[in-house]
Amino acid sequence: MRREILNAEQTIVKEARKMFLYKEKIKTKYREIRLEDVLDISYKNIGDGEGILYLHTNQGVFPFMVSMDPKPFIESYFKLVNGMI
């Protein structure tokens, strides 16, 4: 999501993007975060099927609005970092 202001009116623009989990990194449109830099991943449901996925890294916390249940992504991350994949 991003906010745009045009003619003194603020609108919120939602863009569909993907987050990819690789063996060495998590990649989004604008970021690549090495798995060794990820400390934790958490999720907070905010209702209506939407929530915020938080990537806790050694460079700070990066929030991502999601409209799908991120449980499979989070489970895959923990399996990967715990050597189960």
Side-chain angles (χ1 to χ4, degrees):
M1 284 190 339
R2 72 175 192 273
R3 294 183 194 140
E4 292 182 348
I5 298 176
L6 183 62
N7 298 327
E9 288 188 33
Q10 177 177 302
T11 58
I12 296 177
V13 178
K14 290 185 179 183
E15 294 179 356
R17 296 191 189 151
K18 295 181 180 181
M19 181 180 287
F20 298 95
L21 175 63
Y22 295 99
K23 210 171 192 177
E24 318 79 30
K25 63 186 173 186
I26 293 175
K27 184 175 180 180
T28 67
K29 184 174 182 177
Y30 296 109
R31 296 191 198 294
E32 277 191 20
I33 303 168
R34 298 179 309 168
L35 287 189
E36 62 193 47
D37 294 335
V38 178
L39 307 172
D40 194 17
I41 298 179
S42 61
Y43 173 71
K44 178 167 176 68
N45 186 326
I46 58 173
D48 293 330
E50 293 187 335
I52 304 172
L53 177 73
Y54 296 96
L55 289 183
H56 305 263
T57 75
N58 59 9
Q59 298 146 353
V61 178
F62 298 99
F64 296 92
M65 291 290 298
V66 295
S67 58
M68 298 172 51
D69 183 4
K71 186 176 179 179
F73 182 89
I74 294 170
E75 288 175 348
S76 294
Y77 163 78
F78 283 111
K79 285 180 182 177
L80 184 61
V81 298
N82 291 318
M84 300 173 71
I85 294 180

Coordinates of all heavy atoms in Angstrom, one line a residue:
M1 N 0.8 -1.2 0.0 CA 0.0 0.0 0.0 C 0.9 1.2 0.0 O 1.9 1.2 0.6 CB -0.9 0.0 1.2 CG -2.0 -0.9 1.2 SD -3.3 -0.7 2.5 CE -2.5 0.1 3.8
R2 N 0.4 2.2 -0.7 CA 1.1 3.5 -0.6 C 0.0 4.6 -0.6 O -1.1 4.4 -1.1 CB 2.1 3.7 -1.7 CG 1.5 3.9 -3.1 CD 2.6 4.1 -4.2 NE 1.9 4.6 -5.4 CZ 1.5 3.8 -6.3 NH1 1.6 2.5 -6.2 NH2 0.9 4.3 -7.4
R3 N 0.4 5.7 -0.1 CA -0.5 6.9 0.0 C -0.1 7.9 -1.1 O 1.0 8.2 -1.3 CB -0.5 7.5 1.4 CG -1.0 6.7 2.4 CD -1.0 7.4 3.7 NE -1.2 6.4 4.8 CZ -0.6 6.4 5.9 NH1 0.3 7.3 6.2 NH2 -0.8 5.4 6.8
E4 N -1.2 8.4 -1.7 CA -0.9 9.5 -2.7 C -1.8 10.7 -2.4 O -2.9 10.5 -2.0 CB -1.3 9.0 -4.1 CG -0.4 7.9 -4.7 CD -0.7 7.5 -6.1 OE1 -1.8 7.8 -6.6 OE2 0.1 6.7 -6.7
I5 N -1.2 11.8 -2.6 CA -2.0 13.0 -2.3 C -2.1 13.8 -3.7 O -1.1 14.1 -4.3 CB -1.4 13.9 -1.2 CG1 -1.3 13.2 0.1 CG2 -2.1 15.2 -1.1 CD1 -0.6 13.9 1.2
L6 N -3.3 14.1 -4.1 CA -3.6 14.7 -5.3 C -4.7 15.7 -5.1 O -5.8 15.3 -4.6 CB -3.9 13.7 -6.4 CG -4.1 14.3 -7.8 CD1 -2.9 15.0 -8.3 CD2 -4.5 13.2 -8.8
N7 N -4.5 17.0 -5.4 CA -5.6 18.0 -5.2 C -6.1 18.0 -3.8 O -7.3 18.0 -3.6 CB -6.7 17.8 -6.2 CG -6.3 17.9 -7.7 OD1 -5.4 18.7 -8.0 ND2 -6.9 17.2 -8.5
A8 N -5.2 17.9 -2.9 CA -5.5 18.0 -1.4 C -6.3 16.8 -0.9 O -6.9 16.9 0.1 CB -6.2 19.3 -1.1
E9 N -6.4 15.7 -1.7 CA -7.1 14.5 -1.3 C -6.1 13.4 -1.2 O -5.2 13.2 -2.1 CB -8.2 14.1 -2.3 CG -9.4 15.0 -2.2 CD -10.5 14.5 -3.1 OE1 -10.6 13.3 -3.2 OE2 -11.2 15.3 -3.6
Q10 N -6.2 12.6 -0.1 CA -5.3 11.5 0.1 C -6.0 10.2 -0.3 O -7.2 10.0 0.1 CB -4.9 11.4 1.6 CG -4.0 10.2 1.8 CD -3.5 10.1 3.3 OE1 -2.9 11.0 3.7 NE2 -3.9 9.1 4.0
T11 N -5.4 9.4 -1.1 CA -5.9 8.1 -1.5 C -4.9 7.0 -1.2 O -3.7 7.3 -1.1 CB -6.3 8.0 -3.0 OG1 -5.1 8.3 -3.7 CG2 -7.4 9.0 -3.3
I12 N -5.4 5.9 -0.9 CA -4.5 4.7 -0.6 C -4.6 3.8 -1.8 O -5.7 3.4 -2.3 CB -5.0 4.0 0.6 CG1 -4.8 4.9 1.8 CG2 -4.2 2.7 0.8 CD1 -5.2 4.3 3.1
V13 N -3.4 3.5 -2.4 CA -3.3 2.6 -3.5 C -2.7 1.3 -3.1 O -1.7 1.2 -2.4 CB -2.4 3.3 -4.6 CG1 -2.2 2.3 -5.8 CG2 -2.9 4.6 -5.0
K14 N -3.5 0.2 -3.4 CA -3.0 -1.1 -3.0 C -2.4 -1.7 -4.3 O -3.0 -1.7 -5.4 CB -4.1 -2.0 -2.5 CG -4.6 -1.6 -1.2 CD -5.7 -2.6 -0.7 CE -6.2 -2.2 0.7 NZ -7.1 -3.2 1.2
E15 N -1.2 -2.3 -4.1 CA -0.5 -3.0 -5.2 C -0.3 -4.4 -4.8 O 0.1 -4.7 -3.7 CB 0.8 -2.4 -5.5 CG 0.8 -1.0 -6.0 CD 2.2 -0.4 -6.3 OE1 3.2 -1.1 -6.0 OE2 2.3 0.7 -6.8
A16 N -0.6 -5.3 -5.7 CA -0.4 -6.8 -5.5 C 1.1 -7.1 -5.8 O 1.6 -6.7 -6.9 CB -1.3 -7.6 -6.4
R17 N 1.8 -7.6 -4.8 CA 3.2 -8.0 -5.0 C 3.4 -9.3 -4.4 O 2.6 -9.8 -3.6 CB 4.1 -7.0 -4.3 CG 4.0 -5.6 -4.9 CD 5.1 -4.8 -4.3 NE 4.9 -3.4 -4.7 CZ 5.3 -2.4 -4.0 NH1 6.0 -2.5 -2.9 NH2 5.1 -1.1 -4.5
K18 N 4.5 -9.9 -4.7 CA 4.8 -11.3 -4.2 C 6.1 -11.2 -3.3 O 7.0 -10.4 -3.5 CB 5.0 -12.2 -5.4 CG 3.8 -12.5 -6.2 CD 4.0 -13.4 -7.3 CE 2.7 -13.6 -8.1 NZ 2.9 -14.6 -9.1
M19 N 6.1 -12.2 -2.4 CA 7.3 -12.3 -1.6 C 7.8 -13.8 -1.8 O 7.0 -14.7 -1.8 CB 6.9 -12.1 -0.1 CG 8.1 -12.3 0.8 SD 7.6 -12.0 2.6 CE 7.4 -10.3 2.6
F20 N 9.1 -13.9 -2.1 CA 9.6 -15.2 -2.4 C 10.6 -15.7 -1.3 O 11.4 -14.9 -0.9 CB 10.4 -15.2 -3.8 CG 9.4 -14.8 -4.9 CD1 9.3 -13.5 -5.3 CD2 8.7 -15.8 -5.5 CE1 8.5 -13.1 -6.4 CE2 7.9 -15.4 -6.6 CZ 7.8 -14.1 -7.0
L21 N 10.5 -16.9 -1.0 CA 11.4 -17.5 0.0 C 12.4 -18.4 -0.8 O 12.0 -19.4 -1.4 CB 10.6 -18.3 1.0 CG 11.4 -19.1 2.0 CD1 12.3 -18.2 2.9 CD2 10.5 -20.0 2.9
Y22 N 13.6 -18.1 -0.7 CA 14.7 -18.9 -1.3 C 15.5 -19.5 -0.2 O 15.4 -19.2 1.0 CB 15.6 -18.0 -2.2 CG 14.9 -17.5 -3.4 CD1 14.4 -16.1 -3.4 CD2 14.7 -18.2 -4.5 CE1 13.8 -15.6 -4.5 CE2 14.0 -17.7 -5.6 CZ 13.6 -16.4 -5.6 OH 12.9 -15.8 -6.7
K23 N 16.4 -20.4 -0.6 CA 17.3 -21.1 0.4 C 18.2 -20.1 1.1 O 18.5 -20.3 2.3 CB 18.2 -22.1 -0.4 CG 18.6 -23.3 0.4 CD 19.2 -24.3 -0.5 CE 19.4 -25.6 0.3 NZ 19.9 -26.6 -0.6
E24 N 18.6 -19.0 0.5 CA 19.5 -18.1 1.1 C 18.9 -16.7 1.5 O 19.5 -15.9 2.1 CB 20.7 -17.8 0.2 CG 21.3 -18.9 -0.5 CD 20.6 -19.3 -1.8 OE1 19.9 -18.5 -2.4 OE2 20.6 -20.5 -2.1
K25 N 17.6 -16.4 0.9 CA 17.1 -15.1 1.1 C 15.6 -15.0 1.0 O 15.0 -16.0 0.5 CB 17.7 -14.2 0.0 CG 17.3 -14.6 -1.4 CD 18.0 -13.7 -2.4 CE 17.8 -14.3 -3.8 NZ 18.6 -13.6 -4.8
I26 N 15.0 -13.9 1.4 CA 13.6 -13.6 1.1 C 13.7 -12.4 0.2 O 14.4 -11.4 0.4 CB 12.9 -13.2 2.4 CG1 12.8 -14.5 3.3 CG2 11.5 -12.7 2.1 CD1 12.2 -14.2 4.7
K27 N 12.9 -12.4 -0.9 CA 13.0 -11.4 -1.9 C 11.6 -10.8 -2.1 O 10.6 -11.5 -2.2 CB 13.5 -12.0 -3.2 CG 13.7 -10.9 -4.3 CD 14.3 -11.5 -5.5 CE 14.5 -10.4 -6.6 NZ 15.1 -10.9 -7.8
T28 N 11.5 -9.5 -2.2 CA 10.3 -8.7 -2.5 C 10.7 -7.9 -3.7 O 11.8 -7.9 -4.2 CB 9.8 -7.9 -1.4 OG1 10.7 -6.8 -1.1 CG2 9.6 -8.7 -0.1
K29 N 9.7 -7.1 -4.2 CA 10.0 -6.2 -5.3 C 11.2 -5.3 -5.1 O 12.0 -5.0 -5.9 CB 8.7 -5.4 -5.7 CG 8.9 -4.6 -6.9 CD 7.6 -3.9 -7.3 CE 7.8 -3.1 -8.6 NZ 6.5 -2.5 -9.1
Y30 N 11.2 -4.7 -3.8 CA 12.2 -3.7 -3.5 C 13.3 -4.2 -2.6 O 14.3 -3.4 -2.3 CB 11.6 -2.5 -3.0 CG 10.6 -1.8 -4.0 CD1 9.3 -1.8 -3.8 CD2 11.1 -1.1 -5.1 CE1 8.4 -1.2 -4.7 CE2 10.3 -0.5 -6.0 CZ 8.9 -0.6 -5.8 OH 8.1 0.0 -6.7
R31 N 13.2 -5.3 -2.0 CA 14.2 -5.8 -1.0 C 14.7 -7.2 -1.2 O 13.9 -8.0 -1.7 CB 13.7 -5.7 0.4 CG 13.3 -4.4 0.9 CD 13.0 -4.5 2.4 NE 12.2 -3.4 2.9 CZ 12.6 -2.1 3.0 NH1 13.8 -1.8 2.5 NH2 11.8 -1.2 3.5
E32 N 15.9 -7.5 -0.8 CA 16.4 -8.8 -0.7 C 17.0 -8.9 0.7 O 17.9 -8.1 1.0 CB 17.5 -9.1 -1.8 CG 16.9 -9.5 -3.1 CD 18.0 -10.1 -4.0 OE1 19.1 -10.5 -3.6 OE2 17.7 -10.1 -5.2
I33 N 16.5 -9.8 1.5 CA 17.0 -10.0 2.8 C 17.6 -11.4 3.0 O 16.9 -12.4 2.8 CB 15.9 -9.7 3.8 CG1 15.3 -8.3 3.6 CG2 16.4 -9.9 5.3 CD1 14.0 -8.1 4.4
R34 N 18.9 -11.4 3.3 CA 19.5 -12.7 3.5 C 18.9 -13.4 4.7 O 18.6 -12.8 5.7 CB 21.0 -12.6 3.8 CG 21.7 -12.0 2.6 CD 23.2 -11.8 2.9 NE 23.4 -11.1 4.1 CZ 24.6 -11.0 4.8 NH1 25.6 -11.6 4.2 NH2 24.7 -10.4 5.9
L35 N 18.7 -14.7 4.6 CA 18.0 -15.5 5.7 C 18.9 -15.4 7.0 O 18.3 -15.3 8.1 CB 17.8 -16.9 5.4 CG 16.7 -17.2 4.4 CD1 16.5 -18.7 4.3 CD2 15.4 -16.5 4.7
E36 N 20.2 -15.3 6.9 CA 21.0 -15.1 8.1 C 20.8 -13.8 8.8 O 21.1 -13.6 10.0 CB 22.5 -15.3 7.8 CG 23.0 -14.3 6.8 CD 24.4 -14.6 6.2 OE1 24.6 -15.8 5.8 OE2 25.2 -13.7 6.2
D37 N 20.1 -12.8 8.1 CA 19.8 -11.5 8.7 C 18.4 -11.5 9.3 O 18.0 -10.5 10.0 CB 20.0 -10.4 7.7 CG 21.4 -10.2 7.2 OD1 22.3 -10.6 8.0 OD2 21.6 -9.7 6.1
V38 N 17.6 -12.5 9.0 CA 16.2 -12.6 9.6 C 16.3 -13.2 11.0 O 16.8 -14.3 11.1 CB 15.3 -13.4 8.6 CG1 13.9 -13.5 9.2 CG2 15.3 -12.7 7.2
L39 N 15.8 -12.5 11.9 CA 15.7 -13.0 13.3 C 14.5 -13.7 13.6 O 14.4 -14.7 14.4 CB 15.9 -11.8 14.3 CG 17.2 -10.9 14.0 CD1 17.2 -9.7 14.9 CD2 18.4 -11.7 14.2
D40 N 13.3 -13.2 13.0 CA 12.0 -13.8 13.3 C 11.1 -13.4 12.3 O 11.3 -12.4 11.6 CB 11.6 -13.4 14.7 CG 10.4 -14.3 15.2 OD1 10.1 -15.4 14.6 OD2 9.7 -13.8 16.2
I41 N 9.9 -14.1 12.1 CA 8.8 -13.6 11.3 C 7.6 -13.8 12.2 O 7.4 -14.8 12.8 CB 8.7 -14.5 10.0 CG1 9.9 -14.4 9.1 CG2 7.4 -14.1 9.2 CD1 9.8 -15.2 7.9
S42 N 6.7 -12.7 12.2 CA 5.5 -12.8 12.9 C 4.4 -12.2 12.1 O 4.6 -11.6 11.0 CB 5.6 -12.1 14.2 OG 5.9 -10.7 14.0
Y43 N 3.1 -12.5 12.5 CA 2.0 -12.0 11.8 C 0.9 -11.5 12.7 O 0.7 -12.1 13.8 CB 1.4 -13.2 11.0 CG 0.1 -12.9 10.3 CD1 0.0 -12.0 9.2 CD2 -1.1 -13.5 10.7 CE1 -1.2 -11.8 8.6 CE2 -2.3 -13.3 10.1 CZ -2.3 -12.4 9.0 OH -3.5 -12.1 8.4
K44 N 0.2 -10.4 12.4 CA -0.9 -9.9 13.2 C -2.1 -9.8 12.2 O -2.0 -9.0 11.3 CB -0.5 -8.6 13.8 CG -1.7 -8.0 14.6 CD -1.2 -6.8 15.4 CE -2.3 -6.2 16.2 NZ -3.0 -6.9 17.2
N45 N -3.1 -10.4 12.5 CA -4.4 -10.3 11.8 C -5.1 -9.0 12.2 O -5.2 -8.7 13.4 CB -5.3 -11.5 12.1 CG -6.5 -11.6 11.3 OD1 -7.1 -10.5 10.9 ND2 -7.0 -12.7 11.0
I46 N -5.5 -8.2 11.2 CA -6.2 -7.0 11.5 C -7.6 -7.0 11.0 O -8.3 -6.0 11.0 CB -5.4 -5.8 10.9 CG1 -5.3 -5.9 9.3 CG2 -4.1 -5.6 11.5 CD1 -4.7 -4.7 8.7
G47 N -8.1 -8.2 10.6 CA -9.5 -8.3 10.2 C -9.8 -8.3 8.7 O -8.9 -7.9 8.0
D48 N -10.9 -8.8 8.4 CA -11.3 -8.9 7.0 C -10.3 -9.6 6.1 O -10.1 -9.2 4.9 CB -11.6 -7.5 6.4 CG -12.8 -6.8 7.0 OD1 -13.7 -7.5 7.5 OD2 -12.8 -5.5 7.1
G49 N -9.7 -10.6 6.6 CA -8.8 -11.4 5.9 C -7.4 -10.8 5.6 O -6.6 -11.3 4.8
E50 N -7.2 -9.6 6.2 CA -5.9 -8.9 6.0 C -5.1 -8.9 7.3 O -5.6 -9.1 8.4 CB -6.2 -7.5 5.5 CG -6.8 -7.4 4.2 CD -6.8 -6.0 3.6 OE1 -6.9 -5.1 4.4 OE2 -6.8 -5.9 2.4
G51 N -3.8 -8.7 7.1 CA -3.0 -8.6 8.3 C -1.6 -8.0 7.9 O -1.4 -7.6 6.8
I52 N -0.7 -8.0 8.9 CA 0.6 -7.5 8.7 C 1.6 -8.6 9.0 O 1.6 -9.2 10.1 CB 0.9 -6.3 9.6 CG1 -0.2 -5.2 9.3 CG2 2.3 -5.7 9.3 CD1 -0.1 -4.0 10.2
L53 N 2.5 -8.9 8.0 CA 3.6 -9.8 8.2 C 4.8 -9.0 8.5 O 5.1 -8.1 7.8 CB 3.8 -10.6 6.9 CG 4.9 -11.6 6.9 CD1 4.6 -12.8 7.7 CD2 5.3 -12.0 5.5
Y54 N 5.4 -9.4 9.7 CA 6.6 -8.6 10.1 C 7.8 -9.5 9.9 O 7.9 -10.6 10.4 CB 6.5 -8.3 11.6 CG 5.4 -7.3 11.9 CD1 4.1 -7.8 12.4 CD2 5.5 -6.0 11.8 CE1 3.1 -7.0 12.7 CE2 4.5 -5.1 12.1 CZ 3.3 -5.6 12.6 OH 2.3 -4.7 12.9
L55 N 8.8 -8.9 9.2 CA 10.1 -9.6 9.1 C 11.0 -8.8 10.1 O 11.3 -7.6 9.9 CB 10.7 -9.4 7.7 CG 10.1 -10.2 6.6 CD1 10.8 -10.0 5.3 CD2 10.1 -11.7 6.9
H56 N 11.4 -9.5 11.1 CA 12.3 -9.0 12.1 C 13.8 -9.3 11.7 O 14.1 -10.5 11.6 CB 12.1 -9.6 13.5 CG 10.6 -9.5 13.9 ND1 10.2 -8.5 14.8 CD2 9.5 -10.2 13.6 CE1 8.9 -8.6 15.0 NE2 8.5 -9.7 14.3
T57 N 14.5 -8.3 11.4 CA 15.9 -8.5 10.9 C 16.9 -7.7 11.7 O 16.5 -6.9 12.6 CB 16.0 -8.0 9.4 OG1 16.1 -6.6 9.4 CG2 14.9 -8.5 8.5
N58 N 18.2 -8.0 11.5 CA 19.2 -7.2 12.2 C 19.3 -5.8 11.7 O 20.1 -5.0 12.2 CB 20.5 -8.0 12.2 CG 21.0 -8.2 10.8 OD1 20.5 -7.7 9.8 ND2 22.1 -9.0 10.7
Q59 N 18.5 -5.4 10.6 CA 18.5 -4.1 10.1 C 17.2 -3.4 10.5 O 16.9 -2.3 10.0 CB 18.6 -4.1 8.6 CG 19.9 -4.7 8.2 CD 19.8 -5.5 6.9 OE1 18.7 -5.7 6.3 NE2 20.9 -6.0 6.4
G60 N 16.3 -4.0 11.3 CA 15.1 -3.4 11.7 C 13.9 -4.3 11.4 O 14.1 -5.5 10.9
V61 N 12.7 -3.9 11.6 CA 11.5 -4.6 11.4 C 10.8 -4.1 10.1 O 10.6 -2.9 10.0 CB 10.5 -4.6 12.5 CG1 9.2 -5.3 12.2 CG2 11.2 -5.1 13.8
F62 N 10.5 -5.0 9.2 CA 9.9 -4.6 7.9 C 8.5 -5.1 7.9 O 8.3 -6.4 7.9 CB 10.7 -5.1 6.7 CG 12.1 -4.6 6.6 CD1 13.1 -5.3 7.1 CD2 12.3 -3.3 6.1 CE1 14.4 -4.8 7.0 CE2 13.6 -2.8 6.0 CZ 14.6 -3.6 6.4
P63 N 7.5 -4.3 7.9 CA 6.1 -4.7 7.8 C 5.6 -4.8 6.4 O 5.9 -4.0 5.5 CB 5.3 -3.6 8.6 CG 6.1 -2.4 8.3 CD 7.6 -2.8 8.1
F64 N 4.8 -5.9 6.2 CA 4.2 -6.1 4.8 C 2.7 -6.4 5.0 O 2.3 -7.3 5.7 CB 4.8 -7.3 4.1 CG 6.3 -7.0 3.8 CD1 7.3 -7.5 4.7 CD2 6.7 -6.4 2.7 CE1 8.6 -7.3 4.5 CE2 8.0 -6.2 2.4 CZ 9.0 -6.6 3.3
M65 N 1.8 -5.6 4.4 CA 0.4 -5.9 4.4 C 0.1 -7.1 3.5 O 0.6 -7.2 2.4 CB -0.4 -4.7 3.9 CG -0.4 -3.4 4.7 SD -1.3 -3.6 6.2 CE -3.0 -3.9 5.6
V66 N -0.6 -8.0 4.1 CA -1.0 -9.2 3.3 C -2.5 -9.5 3.3 O -3.1 -9.1 4.3 CB -0.2 -10.5 3.8 CG1 1.3 -10.3 3.7 CG2 -0.5 -10.7 5.3
S67 N -3.0 -10.0 2.2 CA -4.4 -10.3 2.2 C -4.6 -11.8 2.1 O -5.8 -12.2 1.9 CB -5.0 -9.6 0.9 OG -4.3 -10.0 -0.2
M68 N -3.6 -12.6 2.3 CA -3.7 -14.0 2.3 C -3.1 -14.5 3.6 O -2.2 -13.9 4.2 CB -3.0 -14.7 1.1 CG -3.5 -14.3 -0.2 SD -2.5 -14.8 -1.6 CE -2.3 -16.5 -1.3
D69 N -3.5 -15.7 4.1 CA -2.9 -16.3 5.3 C -1.5 -16.6 5.0 O -1.2 -17.4 4.2 CB -3.7 -17.5 5.7 CG -3.2 -18.1 7.0 OD1 -2.3 -17.6 7.6 OD2 -3.7 -19.2 7.3
P70 N -0.5 -16.0 5.7 CA 0.9 -16.3 5.5 C 1.4 -17.5 6.3 O 2.6 -17.7 6.3 CB 1.6 -15.0 6.0 CG 0.7 -14.6 7.2 CD -0.7 -14.9 6.7
K71 N 0.6 -18.2 6.9 CA 1.0 -19.4 7.7 C 1.9 -20.4 6.9 O 2.9 -20.8 7.4 CB -0.2 -20.1 8.3 CG 0.2 -21.2 9.3 CD -1.1 -21.8 9.9 CE -0.6 -22.9 10.8 NZ -1.8 -23.5 11.5
P72 N 1.5 -20.8 5.7 CA 2.4 -21.7 4.9 C 3.8 -21.1 4.7 O 4.8 -21.8 4.7 CB 1.7 -21.9 3.6 CG 0.2 -21.6 3.9 CD 0.3 -20.5 5.0
F73 N 3.8 -19.8 4.4 CA 5.1 -19.1 4.2 C 6.0 -19.1 5.4 O 7.2 -19.4 5.4 CB 4.9 -17.6 3.7 CG 6.1 -16.9 3.4 CD1 6.7 -16.9 2.1 CD2 6.8 -16.1 4.4 CE1 7.8 -16.2 1.8 CE2 7.9 -15.4 4.1 CZ 8.5 -15.5 2.8
I74 N 5.3 -18.8 6.6 CA 6.1 -18.7 7.8 C 6.5 -20.1 8.2 O 7.7 -20.3 8.7 CB 5.2 -18.1 8.9 CG1 4.9 -16.6 8.6 CG2 5.8 -18.2 10.3 CD1 3.8 -16.0 9.5
E75 N 5.7 -21.1 8.0 CA 6.1 -22.5 8.4 C 7.2 -22.9 7.5 O 8.2 -23.6 8.0 CB 4.9 -23.4 8.2 CG 3.9 -23.3 9.3 CD 2.6 -24.1 9.1 OE1 2.5 -24.7 7.9 OE2 1.8 -24.2 10.0
S76 N 7.2 -22.6 6.2 CA 8.3 -23.0 5.3 C 9.6 -22.3 5.7 O 10.7 -22.9 5.7 CB 8.0 -22.6 3.9 OG 6.9 -23.4 3.4
Y77 N 9.5 -21.0 6.1 CA 10.7 -20.3 6.6 C 11.3 -21.0 7.8 O 12.5 -21.3 7.8 CB 10.4 -18.9 7.0 CG 11.4 -18.2 7.8 CD1 12.6 -17.8 7.3 CD2 11.3 -18.2 9.2 CE1 13.6 -17.2 8.1 CE2 12.3 -17.6 10.0 CZ 13.4 -17.1 9.4 OH 14.4 -16.6 10.2
F78 N 10.5 -21.4 8.8 CA 11.1 -22.0 10.0 C 11.6 -23.4 9.7 O 12.6 -23.8 10.2 CB 10.1 -22.1 11.1 CG 9.9 -20.7 11.8 CD1 8.8 -20.0 11.7 CD2 11.0 -20.2 12.6 CE1 8.7 -18.7 12.3 CE2 10.9 -19.0 13.2 CZ 9.7 -18.2 13.1
K79 N 11.0 -24.2 8.8 CA 11.5 -25.5 8.4 C 12.8 -25.3 7.7 O 13.8 -26.1 7.9 CB 10.5 -26.2 7.4 CG 9.3 -26.7 8.1 CD 8.4 -27.4 7.1 CE 7.2 -28.0 7.8 NZ 6.2 -28.6 6.9
L80 N 12.9 -24.3 6.8 CA 14.2 -24.0 6.1 C 15.3 -23.6 7.0 O 16.4 -24.2 7.0 CB 14.0 -22.9 5.1 CG 15.1 -22.6 4.2 CD1 15.6 -23.8 3.3 CD2 14.8 -21.4 3.2
V81 N 15.1 -22.7 7.9 CA 16.2 -22.3 8.8 C 16.5 -23.3 9.9 O 17.6 -23.3 10.4 CB 15.9 -20.9 9.5 CG1 15.8 -19.8 8.5 CG2 14.7 -21.0 10.4
N82 N 15.6 -24.2 10.2 CA 15.9 -25.3 11.1 C 16.4 -26.6 10.5 O 16.5 -27.6 11.1 CB 14.6 -25.6 12.0 CG 14.3 -24.5 12.9 OD1 15.2 -23.9 13.5 ND2 13.0 -24.1 13.0
G83 N 16.7 -26.5 9.2 CA 17.3 -27.6 8.4 C 16.3 -28.7 8.1 O 16.8 -29.9 7.9
M84 N 15.0 -28.5 8.1 CA 14.1 -29.5 7.9 C 13.7 -29.6 6.4 O 12.9 -30.5 6.0 CB 12.8 -29.3 8.7 CG 13.2 -29.3 10.2 SD 11.8 -28.9 11.3 CE 10.7 -30.3 11.1
I85 N 14.2 -28.7 5.6 CA 13.9 -28.7 4.2 C 15.3 -28.9 3.4 O 16.2 -28.4 3.8 CB 13.3 -27.4 3.7 CG1 11.9 -27.3 4.2 CG2 13.2 -27.4 2.1 CD1 11.2 -26.0 3.8

